[in-house]
Amino acid sequence: MNSQEIFTLSDAHVAPTYRRYPVALVRGRGMKLWDADGREYLDFLAGIAVCNLGHCHSLVTHAIAEQAKRLLHVSNLYYIEPQASLAAELCCKSFAQKVFFCNSGAEANEAAIKLARRYGHEVRGVAEGEIITMQRSFHGRTMATLSATGQEKIQLGYQPLLTGFTYVPFDDPQAVVRAITSKTCAVMVEPVQGEGGVVVPRPGYLQELRRICDDHGLLLILDEVQTGLGRTGRLFAHQHSGMTPDIMTLAKALGAGFPIGAMLATDKVANIFGPGSHASTFGGNPLACSAALASLKAIDTDDILANCQRQGVYLTGRLETLRERHACIKEIRGLGLMVGVDLGVPVGDIIQRCLERGILVGPAGEQTLRLTPPLIVTEADIETLMTVLDEVLP
């Protein structure tokens, strides 16, 4: 099918939950994508921070192909070798001792919410556990996770929401203290807000939340669905702060494009989940776990984190230079290769004009341009982006 045929078929039969750009991508390699008509694009969105290794990394595609020849799926009623190996690898690289596997970031956050409430009930005797989350946060689109999300536009039309969530300003530890009640069981936060506009908190924020949670006997949940797996220049974003949470959620880049989510926790917390307390039919299946194991191996062997740090500095530096030529750039925010450019006006037209010039970028809120390229991006790629932004920005 050509692009127009794909547009027509999709519009006729796919539920209209996405505002799609007029492009049908059919092939990818590294930083590049090609549409159904053969046109080439340079990807500065990476499937919204999913394809951290670039498109179709050879280690990942080989692992998927080899695992597909052996076994696609078995129930979690049985032991699964790639699942066990992946859990061990994630625990080795983090604070955690146990991992629950699922299929997405929303499911990982759903599991974290359930675990925190169960922990509050069984350990602290809190009958109706409440969780403090942040204004402008984003935790997913299931009923529990959109209820946890501090953005009215995500919740619009889905009332009644799940009760038991209190929203406070991001990057304000004292607001968290003021919101704590006898029912509070946890604090849930993104180390860097993504959908909320790529907002980096001030140094010390996560450490202060850790101290507050310890003082009040609360669990600290870090949603690293977007920030995890190298996006900020460390394997996990909280490692910049030298603190650890009680629960951490991952997804997006974990499978390098293959759907998988994970909730990691300490033994003390995870063991509250007993047999039958939570489950996922496809969570941790052999194919997904093989992809994730290969993804972790590639991060270790391909100089991914160091390149992210180098190119993140280069990208923000070049954007600052561009800012001198374009007064529309109000602010540049970010950590590593998770960068937001606040334009002060709706960014839809800018994204469309970049697309017309073969560059894929995305929004983070209405007025912020989101740049989350694969972590293999080069200075030459960034220079191509700068040339295009210089053309399309007013």
Side-chain angles (χ1 to χ4, degrees), residues 321-342:
T321 301
L322 198 66
R323 187 180 185 180
E324 296 170 2
R325 295 164 50 84
H326 298 274
C328 65
I329 298 178
K330 306 301 181 188
E331 188 176 9
I332 298 161
R333 302 183 292 265
L335 189 61
L337 284 169
M338 182 175 177
V339 176
V341 183
D342 191 351

Side-chain angles (χ1 to χ4, degrees), residues 143-197:
M143 278 308 299
T145 56
L146 75 84
S147 298
T149 293
Q151 298 189 59
E152 289 184 6
K153 67 178 183 182
I154 304 295
Q155 302 167 341
L156 189 64
Y158 297 112
Q159 288 78 7
L161 304 178
L162 210 64
T163 59
F165 294 99
T166 301
Y167 317 109
V168 301
F170 185 63
D171 201 13
D172 185 349
Q174 289 310 306
V176 172
V177 173
R178 290 191 295 272
I180 293 172
T181 72
S182 60
K183 294 182 178 180
T184 305
C185 65
V187 174
M188 186 173 188
V189 64
E190 301 156 275
V192 177
Q193 287 194 331
E195 296 293 327

Side-chain angles (χ1 to χ4, degrees), residues 74-387:
V74 288
S75 169
N76 277 304
L77 293 174
Y78 310 106
Y79 287 92
I80 301 170
E81 181 186 349
Q83 181 186 108
S85 297
L86 178 58
E89 191 71 12
L90 287 171
C91 289
C92 179
K93 293 178 179 299
S94 73
F95 67 94
Q97 286 101 38
K98 291 288 190 302
V99 184
F100 172 82
F101 289 108
C102 49
N103 309 289
S104 68
E107 289 177 69
N109 285 331
E110 185 95 12
I113 291 166
K114 291 179 69 174
L115 180 58
R117 287 189 167 178
R118 194 176 180 95
Y119 182 90
H121 184 268
E122 295 195 8
V123 176
R124 299 186 57 227
V126 178
E128 298 178 3
E130 295 180 347
I131 299 175
I132 297 171
T133 68
M134 307 303 147
Q135 295 170 4
R136 301 183 67 179
S137 60
F138 181 82
H139 299 295
R141 292 179 183 270
T142 64
M143 278 308 299
T145 56
L146 75 84
S147 298
T149 293
Q151 298 189 59
E152 289 184 6
K153 67 178 183 182
I154 304 295
Q155 302 167 341
L156 189 64
Y158 297 112
Q159 288 78 7
L161 304 178
L162 210 64
T163 59
F165 294 99
T166 301
Y167 317 109
V168 301
F170 185 63
D171 201 13
D172 185 349
Q174 289 310 306
V176 172
V177 173
R178 290 191 295 272
I180 293 172
T181 72
S182 60
K183 294 182 178 180
T184 305
C185 65
V187 174
M188 186 173 188
V189 64
E190 301 156 275
V192 177
Q193 287 194 331
E195 296 293 327
V198 188
V199 183
V200 183
R202 285 166 290 190
Y205 176 59
L206 293 182
Q207 294 98 318
E208 187 65 5
L209 290 184
R210 176 73 275 175
R211 185 192 64 75
I212 291 167
C213 286
D214 289 343
D215 288 349
H216 293 269
L218 309 178
L219 298 180
L220 180 57
I221 304 168
L222 291 186
D223 177 346
E224 292 237 25
V225 167
Q226 186 165 165
T227 56
L229 287 308
R231 174 52 57 186
T232 69
R234 300 290 298 269
L235 189 60
F236 308 116
H238 71 267
Q239 292 173 332
H240 290 284
S241 303
M243 49 72 70
T244 58
D246 300 294
I247 301 172
M248 174 174 69
T249 56
L250 302 173
K252 284 191 179 291
L254 181 56
F258 198 95
I260 181 171
M263 182 203 67
L264 289 69
T266 60
D267 261 338
K268 172 187 166 187
V269 179
N271 288 339
I272 296 297
F273 265 174
S277 59
H278 194 46
S280 169
T281 295
F282 292 107
N285 77 47
L287 200 57
C289 289
S290 294
L293 276 166
S295 173
L296 288 175
K297 184 178 179 181
I299 290 173
D300 284 342
T301 58
D302 285 3
D303 196 32
I304 295 293
L305 299 182
N307 191 62
C308 176
Q309 294 163 11
R310 284 194 302 269
Q311 302 304 335
V313 170
Y314 187 77
L315 174 59
T316 53
R318 292 293 288 115
L319 287 167
E320 289 291 352
T321 301
L322 198 66
R323 187 180 185 180
E324 296 170 2
R325 295 164 50 84
H326 298 274
C328 65
I329 298 178
K330 306 301 181 188
E331 188 176 9
I332 298 161
R333 302 183 292 265
L335 189 61
L337 284 169
M338 182 175 177
V339 176
V341 183
D342 191 351
L343 298 180
V345 297
V347 296
D349 181 56
I350 299 297
I351 293 170
Q352 177 63 38
R353 294 174 69 186
C354 286
L355 179 66
E356 292 166 358
R357 289 160 175 77
I359 297 288
L360 302 183
V361 296
E366 290 294 319
Q367 301 185 349
T368 302
L369 201 63
R370 185 196 324 235
L371 303 176
T372 53
L375 307 185
I376 60 170
V377 68
T378 66
E379 290 184 6
D381 297 325
I382 291 171
E383 287 305 315
T384 301
L385 170 71
M386 291 303 126
T387 299

